[in-house]
Amino acid sequence: MYLLHYAPDNASLIVRLALEELGAPYQTRLVDRAAREQEGAAYRALNPAGLIPVLETADGPIFETGAILLWLSERHGALAPAPLDPARGAFLKWLFFTANTLHADLRQLFYPERYAPPGCEAGFHAIAGRRIARHFGLLDVVAAEAPDWLSPEAPSVLSCYLAGLMRWAALYPRGGTGWFRLDDTPALKTLAEAAEARPAARRCAEAEGLGPTPFSAPGYAEPPEGSAT
């Protein structure tokens, strides 16, 4: 039994989606972002960086979304090419690109005040938006080739990851989302539509109040706890 420390519509959603696709038993524990619980001593004992999510396992707590996804795929032997599969290298490079480049740049776009000098947020936002649009474009080319590990026909931990990031790119920052149009990346749009049609995604959407089209035409979570991380 895993324990997922989560906040609604945060990066923990990606891990929840993978757990649901795996059919793995898990429980959840809310991290109260309004009270900055993620910055407290108890949570930092699990994740010293104070970020969501953390997945508690029999082997100890794991943090960093990409690391959790890779660990789950290896532990359960699913949702990713096996270590000796010839496709493993291609899968890993795009998983790490998504975690280390796309997700990291999205954080800068969502929270420019943490990265840009005062008064420079608007220019920073424009530059970051163009850069992230290129990231999505690269991934769209990969998705168009429909490898087994990034195909609408079957989920993977990478497709789970991208579903969440596409959702937040369409929603955040509030009032400043014109840089992203899912129609510009048709292969990723097909991936998002396929992901949200699956029972696992419907269960996640119900649990976190995400509505019927959480990835292809998202709306803000109800109740609106948390924000993109």
Side-chain angles (χ1 to χ4, degrees):
M1 176 68 71
Y2 299 121
L3 178 60
L4 176 62
H5 295 260
Y6 86 105
D9 210 14
N10 279 232
S12 49
L13 169 64
I14 297 164
V15 177
R16 184 196 289 266
L17 182 57
L19 289 167
E20 289 287 350
E21 289 288 4
L22 289 167
Y26 71 98
Q27 297 176 336
T28 58
R29 179 172 296 165
L30 178 66
V31 181
D32 186 350
R33 288 193 54 163
R36 309 302 297 175
E37 187 178 355
Q38 71 273 22
E39 298 176 1
Y43 191 81
R44 284 188 181 270
L46 300 171
N47 182 356
L51 296 173
I52 301 165
V54 167
L55 184 69
E56 290 197 63
T57 78
D59 296 338
I62 307 174
F63 55 88
E64 291 296 320
T65 303
I68 296 171
L69 294 175
L70 187 57
W71 186 91
L72 284 170
S73 72
E74 293 179 346
R75 179 55 58 97
H76 292 270
L79 301 186
L84 298 181
D85 190 315
R88 179 75 167 183
F91 162 77
L92 286 176
K93 70 185 180 185
W94 289 110
L95 176 65
F96 278 68
F97 175 83
T98 299
N100 296 348
T101 302
L102 175 56
H103 195 174
D105 282 357
L106 278 169
R107 280 187 56 82
Q108 294 183 26
L109 185 74
F110 298 156
Y111 305 112
E113 71 281 359
R114 301 182 186 180
Y115 301 95
C120 298
E121 292 86 355
F124 183 87
H125 177 275
I127 294 170
R130 289 194 295 270
R131 186 170 66 245
I132 296 165
R134 287 196 296 269
H135 299 339
F136 277 118
L138 292 174
L139 285 156
D140 189 61
V141 172
V142 178
E145 298 170 354
D148 290 343
W149 43 269
L150 196 60
S151 166
E153 304 304 319
S156 70
V157 292
L158 180 53
S159 64
C160 291
Y161 209 150
L162 289 172
L165 298 186
M166 286 186 280
R167 170 180 172 77
W168 299 318
L171 294 175
Y172 300 103
R174 288 179 184 251
T177 58
W179 63 275
F180 178 78
R181 293 178 65 253
L182 189 55
D183 286 340
D184 292 338
T185 52
L188 290 180
K189 181 178 180 180
T190 299
L191 201 70
E193 292 170 341
E196 68 193 13
R198 293 179 60 82
R202 291 198 291 269
R203 291 191 293 269
C204 290
E206 182 177 359
E208 301 199 12
L210 307 183
T213 54
F215 307 132
S216 67
Y220 294 109
E222 291 292 344
E225 292 185 73
S227 60
T229 60

